[in-house]
Amino acid sequence: MKANLLVLAGAATVLASACTFTPKQQAEGKFDYTELAVEGSIQPAPNKQLPEPTNRYTVPDAERLGPIGTAVPILAPKLVWPVADGSRVEEAEDQVRIYFDELDGMSDIEQYVWQGALQALRMRNIGVTEQVNRQSIQTDWVVETFVYGEDEEEVSIRRRFRFDFATAEHGRTTAVNSSVIERQLTAEDTVEIDNSYLDFRDRDAATTALNMVISEIAITQQTGVADVDDEGAVLVDMGFDEDGYASFIMGASFSYTWALMRDVLPEVGFKVDDYNREIGRFYVTYELEESFWGGRSDGKLELPEGAYEVKVTGDAKRTSITLFRDREALSADEVMQIFAPFAAEIRTQSGV
C-alpha cells in the first residue's frame, strides 16, 4: 500500500510539472499589475468636506502599445549592427532601421547603399520578386526552422522581406528599413504559438536580414571600393590627378586600384615590363598582336605602339590613373578617346 502511494505521488508531481510548463520566452511569476483598476473617489467623513479638487497629483492615462503580462517575450532581441563605415542607429528607434552617412570620396551614397543591398541578396541566393529603383526591394521566400514547446516540436517559418530606402533631401544620408511583409508557418504537429512571440521572431528575422546588408557593405568597403555605378562595379570617370594631368578617376583605394590594374592593363593591350608599387608606376609596352593571317589585329585602345608609363596615385577612397608616352602625359583628348574601352575593362574586372 505504501509503495502504491509513492507511485501516485510521483505521478501527481509529473502532472503538476507538466501543467506548469513555461516556455523559455515567457516570464514567470505573478502579474497582478495587469488587473489593476482605478479605485473609487474618496468619500468625506460625516459633517466633513473634502478640499477643493486639483489635478496636481493626477496620474495621466498611459497608452498601452505592446503586450503585457505573460504575453511579453523576455528573450533578448537581436540588434542592428552598425559595422559599416558611416553607418549608425538612432536611439529609441521603434523600427528595424540603419542610417548610412556619406563618407569622404563618395559621390552617391544612395547608389552605394542600393547596390550593397542587391549584392547582399545575390551573394546569398535570395531572389528579388519586386523592386523600385533606389526605393524598395521585396525578396522571395526565406526559410527559418526552430524547435518550440515542451516537446521541442520543429517549426518552419517562411518569410518575405521588404527593404525600404529613404535618402535625405541633402543627399548625404540614406536610411534602410527592414520588415517582414508575409509569413507562412508550418509544424510537424499542431503547435500553438502566441502571436506576440511570432511577431517577436519576425522582428528578429528582419534585423538579421538588415544586418546581412550592412555586413555586405562593410565587406565592400574593406576591399577599398568607395563608389559604385548602376551595375555594381567600381565607379570610373574622367578627371585630373594631383598634378593637373588628364586621368581616369576611380572611386576606390590605391591598394584596390593597383591590384586591379595588374589585370586590366594586359586585357586592353599593354604588356607589363616592370612595375614599382612604392612610387605607383607600371612600365608597359603597347603592341598590336600579329594575326593568324599575317596582318595586325585591332587593339582595344586607339594609341600608337610603343613604351608607356602608367602612374597610379591615390588614398583610401579615390585614385587616379595617368598614362605617359615619351615622358609626356596623354592629353585630355587622347584620354577621352580611349576612355570607353579602358573604363569598360575596369568595370568588368571590378564587379563587386
Side-chain angles (χ1 to χ4, degrees):
M1 181 66 179
K2 186 174 182 180
N4 290 338
L5 289 175
L6 289 174
V7 171
L8 290 174
T13 302
V14 171
L15 290 173
S17 64
C19 293
T20 58
F21 168 73
T22 302
K24 63 180 181 180
Q25 77 276 0
Q26 179 179 306
E28 296 186 66
K30 297 181 179 180
F31 299 93
D32 297 338
Y33 76 91
T34 62
E35 300 176 0
L36 292 178
V38 178
E39 297 182 356
S41 59
I42 299 175
Q43 300 299 320
N47 301 322
K48 300 293 183 180
Q49 291 184 342
L50 293 175
E52 290 294 326
T54 175
N55 61 358
R56 181 177 180 183
Y57 300 105
T58 301
V59 178
D61 293 333
E63 183 180 358
R64 182 172 65 84
L65 300 176
I68 62 174
T70 57
V72 179
I74 61 171
L75 298 178
K78 292 186 177 180
L79 302 177
V80 177
W81 305 330
V83 296
D85 292 344
S87 64
R88 58 183 170 84
V89 293
E90 296 284 354
E91 292 185 10
E93 179 67 76
D94 59 355
Q95 300 184 57
V96 181
R97 180 160 48 191
I98 187 80
Y99 295 85
F100 292 92
D101 294 325
E102 184 177 276
L103 299 173
D104 183 36
M106 286 186 177
S107 63
D108 192 342
I109 182 64
E110 183 179 45
Q111 174 69 14
Y112 194 83
V113 173
W114 172 260
Q115 287 296 336
L118 292 176
Q119 175 72 3
L121 297 174
R122 285 195 299 268
M123 292 296 292
R124 291 155 183 84
N125 296 319
I126 299 175
V128 175
T129 59
E130 183 179 330
Q131 68 182 64
V132 179
N133 189 38
R134 302 191 185 192
Q135 296 183 32
S136 65
I137 298 173
Q138 292 186 18
T139 75
D140 204 347
W141 294 102
V142 179
V143 181
E144 176 199 14
T145 302
F146 63 97
V147 294
Y148 181 84
E150 183 180 15
D151 297 328
E152 296 189 342
E153 299 288 349
E154 186 172 280
V155 178
S156 179
I157 298 181
R158 300 171 73 229
R159 299 184 181 90
R160 294 178 59 235
F161 297 93
R162 177 186 175 102
F163 298 102
D164 291 293
F165 301 78
T167 300
E169 291 185 4
H170 52 67
R172 296 187 298 275
T173 299
T174 293
V176 185
N177 184 81
S178 174
S179 60
V180 175
I181 57 174
E182 194 171 354
R183 176 183 69 203
Q184 292 181 357
L185 185 147
T186 57
E188 292 182 354
D189 297 317
T190 302
V191 179
E192 293 185 5
I193 305 178
D194 189 83
N195 281 331
S196 62
Y197 180 60
L198 291 176
D199 293 341
F200 173 81
R201 291 197 74 100
D202 280 352
R203 185 181 178 92
D204 271 5
T207 302
T208 299
L210 184 58
N211 285 338
M212 170 190 68
V213 172
I214 302 168
S215 298
E216 189 63 34
I217 292 174
I219 292 171
T220 301
Q221 290 174 336
Q222 289 300 313
T223 65
V225 178
D227 257 336
V228 293
D229 61 19
D230 292 339
E231 283 73 42
V234 175
L235 185 67
V236 56
D237 204 348
M238 278 191 60
F240 299 92
D241 64 12
E242 72 279 6
D243 296 322
Y245 297 128
S247 306
F248 298 94
I249 305 299
M250 285 184 56
S253 68
F254 168 82
S255 297
Y256 181 89
T257 304
W258 177 265
L260 191 68
M261 284 301 102
R262 299 185 67 169
D263 295 324
V264 170
L265 292 173
E267 289 297 323
V268 295
F270 288 106
K271 175 187 174 184
V272 178
D273 301 316
D274 198 2
Y275 59 86
N276 187 332
R277 192 179 189 279
E278 294 299 319
I279 60 174
R281 296 293 190 277
F282 284 97
Y283 303 98
V284 299
T285 303
Y286 188 68
E287 295 178 346
L288 297 177
E289 297 180 356
E290 293 286 347
S291 71
F292 178 78
W293 302 106
R296 285 186 174 273
S297 61
D298 293 333
K300 290 187 178 180
L301 307 179
E302 293 186 16
L303 289 175
E305 292 185 280
Y308 288 80
E309 183 179 326
V310 181
K311 181 181 73 170
V312 181
T313 55
D315 51 29
K317 302 296 180 183
R318 182 180 182 273
T319 305
S320 62
I321 304 163
T322 310
L323 276 68
F324 293 81
R325 183 177 62 245
D326 298 330
R327 298 188 179 183
E328 294 289 336
L330 299 190
S331 67
D333 289 340
E334 288 178 299
V335 173
M336 184 178 295
Q337 193 172 19
I338 66 172
F339 176 79
F342 201 96
E345 190 59 39
I346 290 175
R347 295 188 185 101
T348 299
Q349 298 290 339
S350 69
V352 295

